[in-house]
Amino acid sequence: METISIVGGGIAGLALASCLDPNRFEVTVYEKRPELPSVGNALGMWPNAQRALARIGVLEEARAVSPVIGSGSVRNAAGEPWVTVSAGDMFAVSRIELLRLLDAAVPATVRRVTDHVQALPPRGGLVVGADGVHSLVRREGWGSRSAAKLTPYLALRGTLPSTVSPDVVGEYWGRGDLFGIASARGGMFWYASYRSTLGPYGIDAASALEQTRERFAAYAPAVRQVLAAATPEACLVQRIWTTPRLKSFVHGRTVLIGDAAHAMAPTLGRGACESLVDAVTLADLLNTLPEEQALQAYDRQRRLRTRALSVASSALARVALAEGGQPLRDRLLSLARRRQVRAAVGSGSAG
């Protein structure tokens, strides 16, 4: 039996553990958290992530507990829509539900260790860093230059039990800040981001929520109503960190997946999706190829793909959170909206 140590029992680590061949590998998952989280956010599942969930065997269960995203609009701060898009068959699964499903999919043969890992596991074999943006595995294998990079932005995410009207779903872009509202199982999910000096660690949720209410006090009524009803107990607050560009996700017998490899700005909503794809890709390669070939193929398949998404996420963040360029952005989006409306009216008249 070959040994694989997975450091991190989040989305990427559990997904990998659920797919590795138990007849070939002796797998251990190290996770500092003794139980699954009780507060979480909604994660949009893009088609590639849905295929990964199908490979793990939990796609239909995930669909059953998740609302279809449907359509939503990018709006100005007053709530006037600029662009309306359809999400097709995408659905938004709660992080809590996703972790629960992945945890249940892990074979009983996988060894679980609840521990805050301070050094790489000593058992030998392949080590997989699935330990997030502040990855110990990445720091140990790739050095101090691979340390996570702090952005100036704060991210708040919360849930409310009240239902949300389709007329207010979407993102609201202001000057250097944004706010999002989406449907969730049994209620709604909301999120906000803006430049802040809070943190970077141990941020008090109540203080952050009060700051957020002040920041968005001039936004559309829907935004103000959500923040008025939000509670610190149902809110996650953290500064946004990213992972520096790595020349390889593989270092000897150590490999990185998920945010440990490519934490990116959350603007595109692809972090959890790419973590799932990383895990399934690596598992299938390890199940079918010798280890060295599998690691080389994984790095080749995933590094450039995730780098492109990271660049795109950063570019969209600069647009969505524009400050000096906000007036020009708003004019261009308003112009695009007027042209879209005129085109629709003209098409209707021609018909």
Side-chain angles (χ1 to χ4, degrees):
M1 296 282 283
E2 300 174 57
T3 299
I4 296 181
S5 298
I6 302 173
V7 181
I11 291 173
L14 292 175
L16 176 62
S18 71
C19 292
L20 289 169
D21 184 353
N23 294 316
R24 178 174 175 182
F25 300 108
E26 180 183 325
V27 180
T28 302
V29 175
Y30 296 84
E31 170 54 43
K32 63 182 179 181
R33 183 183 56 219
E35 56 189 22
L36 297 178
S38 58
V39 178
N41 57 308
L43 305 169
M45 291 290 101
W46 290 71
N48 63 343
Q50 293 186 38
R51 290 190 290 271
L53 291 176
R55 164 66 180 85
I56 297 167
V58 298
L59 175 59
E60 294 310 313
E61 293 176 85
R63 281 190 183 279
V65 296
S66 309
V68 174
I69 292 177
S71 62
S73 298
V74 177
R75 308 166 185 271
N76 62 20
E80 299 164 344
W82 282 320
V83 180
T84 299
V85 296
S86 172
D89 293 330
M90 284 180 60
F91 60 88
V93 62
S94 161
R95 180 182 293 273
I96 299 170
E97 292 285 359
L98 179 58
L99 286 170
R100 179 183 63 79
L101 291 172
L102 294 175
D103 187 71
V106 174
T109 54
V110 172
R111 179 170 171 256
R112 311 283 194 113
V113 176
T114 303
D115 186 25
H116 189 180
V117 176
Q118 302 290 338
L120 296 186
R123 302 185 67 205
L126 179 66
V127 175
V128 181
D131 48 342
V133 65
H134 297 293
S135 171
L136 164 76
V137 176
R138 187 180 70 243
R139 188 168 65 250
E140 290 286 327
W142 281 255
S144 59
R145 291 186 178 182
S146 71
K149 295 184 179 297
L150 178 65
T151 76
Y153 298 107
L154 188 71
L156 291 89
R157 304 174 178 92
T159 57
L160 286 173
S162 51
T163 57
V164 58
S165 168
D167 295 337
V168 301
V169 168
E171 285 193 350
Y172 299 71
W173 292 2
R175 186 180 181 86
D177 44 36
L178 67 83
F179 195 92
I181 301 174
S183 296
R185 186 188 184 195
M188 74 169 71
F189 163 66
W190 64 269
Y191 54 95
S193 187
Y194 54 89
R195 190 182 294 268
S196 174
T197 58
L198 291 177
Y201 306 106
I203 302 172
D204 178 65
S207 299
L209 191 54
E210 186 58 35
Q211 183 183 87
T212 303
R213 290 183 179 124
E214 295 174 2
R215 178 87 188 203
F216 292 89
Y219 262 59
V223 173
R224 300 198 305 270
Q225 290 166 9
V226 168
L227 287 173
T231 63
E233 296 75 22
C235 181
L236 292 176
V237 185
Q238 57 191 170
R239 287 287 289 276
I240 297 176
W241 297 75
T242 60
T243 302
R245 182 180 300 177
L246 302 176
K247 293 183 178 180
S248 175
F249 291 165
V250 177
H251 179 77
R253 300 194 72 190
T254 305
V255 58
L256 302 175
I257 62 176
D259 282 352
H262 47 69
M264 61 188 78
T267 331
L268 286 178
R270 299 297 291 263
C273 294
E274 299 310 313
S275 293
L276 289 168
V277 177
D278 283 354
V280 168
T281 301
L282 179 59
D284 287 345
L285 289 168
L286 288 170
N287 287 342
T288 56
L289 295 174
E291 181 182 295
E292 185 176 355
Q293 294 180 29
L295 296 180
Q296 290 175 352
Y298 166 76
D299 188 57
R300 187 168 56 249
Q301 292 179 32
R302 297 300 300 153
R303 185 164 46 85
L304 294 181
R305 167 68 174 172
T306 53
R307 179 180 296 175
L309 288 170
S310 180
V311 170
S313 295
S314 296
L316 183 56
R318 287 193 292 272
V319 174
L321 295 166
E323 295 182 69
Q326 176 256 335
L328 175 60
R329 179 203 67 190
D330 290 5
R331 286 197 296 272
L332 292 174
L333 287 170
S334 296
L335 178 60
R337 175 65 175 178
R338 288 196 294 270
R339 287 180 174 176
Q340 184 183 48
V341 171
R342 284 200 298 267
V345 171
S347 176
S349 299

